[in-house]
Amino acid sequence: MACVSDSQPLGGNVAVVTGASSGIGRSIAIHLASAGAKVCIAARSVDKLEELKSEIEKNGGVAALFKCDVTVREEVIQLVKYAETNLGPVDIMVNNAGVMMYTMMSNLMMDDWDKTIDVNCKGVTNGIGAVLTGMISRGRGHIVNMSSDAGLQGFAGLAVYSGTKFFVEGVSQALRHEMVGKGIKVTCIQPGDVKTNIQVNTTDMEARKQYDASENCKILDPDDIGRAVTYVVSQPDHVAINQLLIEPKEAPI
Ligand SMILES: NC(=O)C1=CN([C@@H]2O[C@H](COP(=O)(O)OP(=O)(O)OC[C@H]3O[C@@H](n4cnc5c(N)ncnc54)[C@H](OP(=O)(O)O)[C@@H]3O)[C@@H](O)[C@H]2O)C=CC1
Ligand SMILES: N[C@@H](C=O)C(=O)O
């Protein structure tokens, strides 16, 4: 590893961040880059990725971008190949891309259920599958999976979403055990409500009106999560922060 300093603890590292075109992923990419990591930013919205790449470079960071739908396994494999060719072997994989739609189970919005499962579950397994062999062969790597406090507790109005985050927790915990002795860390980030545009895809207003509590107190900023992820991946080699529950002070689960 090269260029490690107090201000750039991630110097020499290469990170891939999915769902980097907005919200939490965008902020994670910015924070990792300012800590010295070279970041490959991925999402479907190329215009937003280009704007982010420019911002990172303007601040002295290094970024590459790749258009990728995380539900398509081959595209995620190509994303990691692109990152490795252009930036180097991937040290940090942040499986952040996700969707959330408030909906009552009784309203049977099954297309929303399918989409949530595809992006939040398969997006994460595709991301893990794309980096795991390389990380094991190098004997180092950190996989950071974006869970939620809804991965620890089922939320009414977010039943399928909660289920997908429980899936992320289960996969991560089992993978962590499998990776003992192989040099690979697996972390779940578990945010409470964060101020992003994640709710724009909700069409079931009955569910949102009844269960969305994000207006009830000061919620988190994406920067709070970007900072937390940078902390998690900057620990000494022998330290593994396996879970990080980060919530608005006034809204604990
Ligand atoms: N906001 C919150 O309160 C919380 C959010 N989270 C989790 O944080 C993560 C990010 O959410 P947040 O930043 O809030 O939401 P945003 O809607 O702001 O960002 C979602 C990101 O995911 C990307 N994305 C969605 N679908 C796909 C896809 N099929 N392929 C590739 N990228 C995709 C979007 O990019 P594009 O559309 O360009 O592809 C976008 O960059 C999610 O996993 C979410 O569950 C967890 C806890 C709380
Ligand atoms: N805060 C969580 C559930 O309500 C989330 O947005 O993931």
Side-chain angles (χ1 to χ4, degrees), residues 100 102 148-150 155 158 161 191-193:
M100 181 186 91
Y102 278 98
S148 165
D149 57 2
F155 284 91
L158 288 173
Y161 177 79
D193 284 337

Side-chain angles (χ1 to χ4, degrees), residues 13-19 28 32 40 42 68 70 75-77 79-81 83-84 89-97 123-132 135 138 140-146 175 184-187 189 229 233:
N13 281 260
V14 172
V16 172
V17 182
T18 68
I28 292 171
L32 294 180
C40 187
C68 172
V70 294
E75 290 188 19
V76 186
I77 290 169
L79 159 66
V80 170
K81 282 197 177 139
E84 304 211 326
V90 176
D91 304 292
I92 301 162
M93 178 72 182
V94 185
N95 292 308
N96 164 76
V124 169
T125 52
N126 285 340
I128 293 169
V131 293
L132 202 55
M135 286 183 173
R138 293 186 291 276
R140 64 175 259 113
H142 198 152
I143 296 172
V144 178
N145 293 328
M146 191 52 63
L175 177 62
I184 293 160
K185 301 179 190 179
V186 183
T187 300
I189 308 294
V229 169
V233 298

Side-chain angles (χ1 to χ4, degrees), residues 164-179:
T164 63
K165 295 304 186 180
F166 273 70
F167 174 91
V168 172
E169 292 286 336
V171 168
S172 303
Q173 190 177 79
L175 177 62
R176 190 178 301 131
H177 284 288
E178 288 186 22
M179 290 302 111

